[in-house]
Amino acid sequence: MDKIQKTKGKDEVCWIDRKDFEVLQRLTCDCKDNGERFVVTHRIEEIKRSLKDSDYQLLAEEGLFLLYGKKPLQEGDDIILISSHVDCVFSTCFCREESKGYRGTFDNSFTNAALVLEMQRGSLADNVVIAFTGDEEKDSQGAVAVNVCLTKKACSVRFALVLDVTSAGWMDRKLFAIENDLGIDLMTAHHIVEWLRPYDGKYEFLHFAEPDESWDYADYGIPCLTLSAPVGGDMHSEEGVLLRKEAYPLYREVLVTLANGLSDCLV
């Protein structure tokens, strides 16, 4: 059987694709850097393998990031950037299924897996560019290097979506969170509110949250927000955190909704 069944209530059942869970398992592996380059590359190698037969090309690979897109970047391109950090702090990475959800070292393999799945499925717009970055857990030099790279290519990053996990919303059973919305104009903010209206009651909103890569993109004048997945427990604990199963497909759905909605705004 290719699906995992999780009963949510008396009559409601949530089906999770087994293959989706296997992607999460494979990407929950080690990846570390020294602030200048990656020195443990298991997750990077798995990302490359996972995207080998996708529509995406590796546009740039430097010391602290991989940059993917469906087509080569040209001077003057308007793009939407999705940034998901791959570095982790754990001595041992793991991912397993439990009755209450998934448990694992998901900072930040969960969003890596969610993003890779949507890239494999080709569900993101053509002008959405993806960065897998390092050094987020310390100085965010991966995000800085991405900004430098895109500036050199003379591309215009019209919006950055940062992906991460969070403790916000976990106790209230929220399935995703919007955090650190920075530099967003009123019209775009209105669009985002409308796109999220079908998810009323399912997400947490936190204007000022813990620092993440959104702060670094905002420093470059790029409007941005962080789409986070609520998890239970200490995000940096060797014991891992708990993730609700139903959050996995919903998070990906919201990611595609936001990325493609922002892309449509550029037309």
Side-chain angles (χ1 to χ4, degrees):
M1 191 174 203
D2 285 337
K3 294 185 182 290
I4 303 168
Q5 181 177 351
K6 178 180 184 297
T7 303
K8 296 196 296 182
K10 200 170 184 179
D11 301 310
E12 188 178 5
V13 172
C14 175
W15 293 99
I16 309 296
D17 194 304
R18 172 67 68 177
K19 293 179 180 178
D20 294 353
F21 175 61
E22 290 171 353
V23 171
L24 178 59
Q25 282 187 309
R26 289 198 303 271
L27 286 178
T28 305
C29 57
D30 204 4
C31 186
K32 291 187 174 64
D33 61 76
N34 61 8
E36 296 180 356
R37 62 181 180 84
F38 292 111
V39 293
V40 179
T41 61
H42 303 315
R43 193 178 305 177
I44 290 171
E45 292 161 6
E46 186 58 48
I47 288 171
K48 288 180 178 179
R49 280 193 293 269
S50 298
L51 296 175
K52 184 178 180 181
D53 297 322
S54 74
D55 294 335
Y56 285 84
Q57 308 171 36
L58 183 57
L59 304 180
E61 180 177 6
E62 296 185 14
L64 287 171
F65 72 86
L66 305 177
L67 191 68
Y68 279 94
K70 289 184 177 178
K71 57 185 180 180
L73 294 174
Q74 304 292 330
E75 181 177 342
D77 280 352
D78 289 324
I79 63 174
I80 303 300
L81 176 67
I82 300 177
S83 185
S84 177
H85 78 85
V86 294
D87 59 308
C88 69
V89 300
F90 310 105
S91 60
T92 302
C93 297
F94 74 94
C95 170
R96 65 173 180 258
E97 181 186 359
E98 296 183 353
S99 60
K100 294 183 178 180
Y102 302 137
R103 183 171 296 280
T105 49
F106 294 143
D107 186 9
N108 191 31
S109 65
F110 171 73
T111 78
N112 301 156
L115 187 50
V116 163
L117 277 168
E118 296 310 319
M119 293 169 74
Q120 289 176 332
R121 291 166 180 167
S123 55
L124 297 167
D126 289 351
N127 63 342
V128 176
V129 174
I130 289 88
F132 295 101
T133 61
D135 193 50
E136 191 274 348
E137 297 292 0
K138 189 175 181 183
D139 297 318
S140 290
Q141 288 302 306
V144 172
V146 169
N147 281 320
V148 171
C149 174
L150 293 174
T151 298
K152 288 180 179 178
K153 292 180 180 295
C155 295
S156 176
V157 183
R158 300 293 295 275
F159 202 100
L161 281 173
V162 173
L163 310 184
D164 215 331
V165 295
T166 182
S167 59
W170 172 259
M171 297 301 294
D172 294 326
R173 303 191 64 82
K174 305 301 184 183
L175 299 180
F176 67 95
I178 302 296
E179 302 180 309
N180 289 332
D181 56 316
L182 303 169
I184 303 174
D185 65 77
L186 287 176
M187 183 59 70
T188 303
H190 172 75
H191 286 317
I192 292 171
V193 169
E194 290 301 310
W195 297 332
L196 295 179
R197 195 171 296 283
Y199 307 101
D200 282 352
K202 294 183 178 180
Y203 70 95
E204 185 81 3
F205 172 70
L206 196 59
H207 180 53
F208 290 114
E210 292 296 317
D212 57 29
E213 290 182 330
S214 62
W215 294 25
D216 300 278
Y217 292 117
D219 283 345
Y220 276 75
I222 300 171
C224 56
L225 61 79
T226 301
L227 173 62
S228 296
V231 292
D234 181 350
M235 288 181 287
H236 292 167
S237 169
E238 296 290 332
E239 298 178 359
V241 293
L242 191 62
L243 173 76
R244 291 186 175 92
K245 291 180 181 179
E246 57 267 36
Y248 195 9
L250 186 68
Y251 183 90
R252 300 197 317 270
E253 180 181 310
V254 174
L255 169 60
V256 173
T257 296
L258 289 176
N260 290 352
L262 290 163
S263 173
D264 289 342
C265 289
L266 302 183
V267 178

